[in-house]
Amino acid sequence: MGVGGCLALPWRCLVVLCLRLLFLVPAGVPVRSGDATFPKAMDNVTVRQGESATLRCTVDERVTRVAWLNRSTILYAGNDKWSIDNRVVILSNTKTQYSIKIHNVDIYDEGPYTCSVQTDNHPKTSRVHLIVQVPPQIVNISSDITVNEGSSVTLMCLAFGRPEPTVTWRHLSGKTFVSEDEYLEITGITREQSGEYECSAVNDVAVPDVRKVKVTVNYPPYISNAKNTGASVGQKGILQCEASAVPVAEFQCHSLGVTSKGRLSTLTFFNVSEKDYGNYTCVATNQLGNTNASIILYGAKQHKP
Ligand SMILES: *[C@@H]1O[C@H](CO)[C@@H](O)[C@H](O)[C@H]1NC(C)=O
Ligand SMILES: *[C@@H]1O[C@H](CO)[C@@H](O)[C@H](O)[C@H]1NC(C)=O
Ligand SMILES: *[C@@H]1O[C@H](CO)[C@@H](O)[C@H](O)[C@H]1NC(C)=O
Ligand SMILES: *[C@@H]1O[C@H](CO)[C@@H](O)[C@H](O)[C@H]1NC(C)=O
Ligand SMILES: *[C@@H]1O[C@H](CO)[C@@H](O)[C@H](O)[C@H]1NC(C)=O
Ligand SMILES: *[C@@H]1O[C@H](CO)[C@@H](O)[C@H](O)[C@H]1NC(C)=O
């Protein structure tokens, strides 16, 4: 059947057939603009998900039939609504403009829309792309995690958005970007690599979506400070032992006068006597191991003021 046969058919059929003709046109052939090529549709329309999109088609008084199509589906033909979608409404059907509006646009609405008109018995079409943007959103991210030093860790941050967001990982105490990817892999993690990691999902639609994951690295205790201390008889003497560990170390001390506060253990002699002088051992333990250090309490000369 030729184009002549097409024109003899009822209008609804015509639109469909003309659309078929449209799809026979190789992709990429531009719709020429200017007086001879009505209709003139607008440039691509970009809206955010949830907003409304207006599709405008400029026409003139020679135009006898008008329709808006979504891909191959007629939405409106003249004032007649063909679409059953109640988000689609007609805005204007005048001698100069034929426009429809889509409310509450969703990502499925993205794609080519065609304004199809008939001028002097010649069908013409023009296409506009509806582009739907979505702000970046992190949809799944690793939970806070505790691992032992030396093990391997993979953090995941999955994000959605249109255009697809760029995902990056940053170590907050390191202040550097550690991954330009949804996955952050750390092999043989060290205690310096513990702390908060921040995932950012960025596209240019709205502000980035940012979330944090806390990585705790367990390591066995080491004694960072244990100094020999002098004290004279009759005075107060204090021995201190400081240990670093995750989880916090416990100090094993069975004598009286020992207090532990976090990483610091203090042994206090309220009234030093000769028999107190000697070699003391500070033992720090956590679930990963233990360590010890010796501290000497020695006699110091009493200074008179
Ligand atoms: C409209 O969007 C389509 C599909 O994204 C693209 O191929 C085309 O180049 C765009 N046209 C203009 C004028 O931006
Ligand atoms: C456009 O067509 C697509 C694919 O059939 C559909 O999912 C979408 O809901 C349609 N949108 C409108 C506004 O008709
Ligand atoms: C997140 O991803 C993990 C690992 O792929 C999966 O087990 C979990 O079900 C996901 N959670 C959600 C809410 O999609
Ligand atoms: C310290 O101990 C000595 C000997 O036991 C005692 O004579 C002295 O009174 C004590 N001093 C204090 C301040 O308790
Ligand atoms: C204290 O005791 C430890 C072992 O318990 C030993 O290795 C160290 O040499 C001793 N220090 C002194 C000054 O005697
Ligand atoms: C102190 O540590 C050494 C090994 O580093 C160990 O042989 C010793 O038994 C420990 N001492 C105590 C009192 O835990």
Side-chain angles (χ1 to χ4, degrees):
M1 186 191 297
V3 176
C6 169
L7 290 172
L9 291 168
W11 168 242
R12 287 187 178 196
C13 179
L14 174 79
V15 173
V16 173
L17 281 176
C18 291
L19 189 87
R20 293 226 174 98
L21 290 175
L22 175 79
F23 279 98
L24 293 176
V25 176
V29 173
V31 176
R32 282 177 297 135
S33 60
D35 188 54
T37 55
F38 274 111
K40 185 166 178 346
M42 59 207 297
D43 288 338
N44 288 347
V45 176
T46 301
V47 295
R48 280 199 207 172
Q49 185 181 35
E51 291 179 348
S52 318
T54 301
L55 306 181
R56 291 193 180 84
C57 188
T58 304
V59 294
D60 67 10
E61 64 284 347
R62 291 175 297 153
V63 168
T64 51
R65 305 270 192 198
V66 286
W68 267 108
L69 295 86
N70 169 9
R71 294 177 182 83
S72 58
T73 307
I74 300 169
L75 300 176
Y76 266 92
N79 289 324
D80 293 340
K81 185 172 180 181
W82 285 42
S83 169
I84 55 164
D85 191 335
N86 58 17
R87 298 173 306 140
V88 181
V89 296
I90 189 158
L91 271 191
S92 61
N93 182 8
T94 67
K95 283 187 165 59
T96 55
Q97 197 167 83
Y98 184 54
S99 309
I100 60 167
K101 189 167 191 169
I102 305 167
H103 288 289
N104 192 16
V105 166
D106 206 345
I107 53 175
Y108 312 105
D109 298 322
E110 183 165 296
Y113 287 75
T114 305
C115 174
S116 178
V117 306
Q118 195 177 29
T119 306
D120 308 328
N121 278 342
H122 293 295
K124 300 259 168 58
T125 60
S126 128
R127 191 185 281 196
V128 55
H129 276 269
L130 177 61
I131 294 162
V132 183
Q133 296 189 323
V134 182
Q137 193 193 346
I138 294 170
V139 293
N140 196 350
I141 186 164
S142 299
S143 313
D144 291 352
I145 187 172
T146 298
V147 295
N148 293 342
E149 195 170 38
S151 50
S152 295
V153 176
T154 301
L155 299 183
M156 171 200 70
C157 179
L158 303 181
F160 176 74
R162 279 165 171 257
E164 192 166 328
T166 308
V167 176
T168 54
W169 279 101
R170 203 157 71 94
H171 185 203
L172 287 184
S173 46
K175 299 280 181 208
T176 50
F177 286 95
V178 288
S179 175
E180 311 262 300
D181 187 30
E182 292 173 323
Y183 292 92
L184 166 63
E185 287 177 41
I186 308 171
T187 47
I189 195 165
T190 64
R191 61 194 74 173
E192 290 77 24
Q193 288 173 308
S194 67
E196 283 189 317
Y197 285 79
E198 184 185 83
C199 171
S200 306
V202 180
N203 70 11
D204 53 12
V205 177
V207 292
D209 193 11
V210 175
R211 282 172 68 182
K212 289 174 191 166
V213 174
K214 191 175 175 193
V215 177
T216 304
V217 179
N218 287 339
Y219 59 92
Y222 74 93
I223 290 171
S224 51
N225 196 6
K227 276 208 284 285
N228 297 338
T229 306
S232 48
V233 169
Q235 298 296 300
K236 197 175 180 183
I238 295 173
L239 292 182
Q240 286 194 322
C241 175
E242 197 174 341
S244 174
V246 175
V248 171
E250 283 178 16
F251 294 97
Q252 289 169 3
C253 289
H254 304 292
S255 30
L256 289 169
V258 177
T259 56
S260 285
K261 202 177 174 194
R263 40 194 288 162
L264 190 66
S265 173
T266 305
L267 173 57
T268 306
F269 303 88
F270 290 97
N271 184 358
V272 171
S273 67
E274 284 295 337
K275 67 172 170 44
D276 293 330
Y277 294 136
N279 192 344
Y280 292 82
T281 305
C282 162
V283 181
T285 306
N286 76 0
Q287 66 208 40
L288 269 69
N290 68 78
T291 187
N292 62 65
S294 296
I295 316 174
I296 312 283
L297 181 69
Y298 59 90
K301 283 209 180 100
Q302 191 164 1
H303 298 283
K304 293 230 166 99

